[in-house]
Amino acid sequence: MPSHARPKPSRVPRTLLRAGLVISAAGAALAAGGAATASAAPASAARSSDTGATASALTGALVNSLGGGLGPVKNLQVDPLANTPVDPLANAVSTQIADFKPVGTTLLTGALSNGGALKDLPLVGTLTRVLPG
């Protein structure tokens, strides 16, 4: 049988196999993390009825770790090629129809091509103000 007449193998089973492997690996990582946490706790530790102190300690640790960790991310320059002659976002296209206001791509790419950070972007910048840091 010529090669062009052979039935083509389906890619769906291979995709499903890859997805299954990814899910299995994630489950194994979660199980290993849970086993490591369980083995790190002392076997004879008495259970405390004071959950308020534990909850406030965990909440404080979470807020402090997120606050210090997200501050630098919000100030990072998003476009590494900004303010260089090879920046592809510096090319602006605009048009005007009749006597309507002109519309261009500078509204979207201007903040990035000028070296703006995540907090300087038009829509995302307002959302980053909610994040700690």
Side-chain angles (χ1 to χ4, degrees), residues 4-117:
H4 70 277
R6 287 188 199 127
K8 303 279 189 243
S10 175
R11 295 284 182 197
V12 174
R14 184 175 290 175
T15 305
L16 290 176
L17 177 65
R18 287 181 184 165
L21 288 174
V22 168
I23 292 171
S24 299
L30 287 174
T37 305
S39 67
S44 64
R47 295 197 179 235
S48 173
S49 62
D50 185 19
T51 57
T54 306
S56 66
L58 287 174
T59 305
L62 182 64
V63 168
N64 289 336
S65 67
L66 284 178
L70 291 179
V73 173
K74 294 193 309 188
N75 296 325
L76 262 173
Q77 180 179 346
V78 178
D79 184 17
L81 297 174
N83 297 323
T84 62
V86 294
D87 184 16
L89 297 176
N91 296 331
V93 177
S94 64
T95 185
Q96 182 177 5
I97 299 174
D99 46 327
F100 293 110
K101 287 183 8 180
V103 178
T105 59
T106 313
L107 283 171
L108 297 174
T109 61
L112 291 174
S113 65
N114 292 334

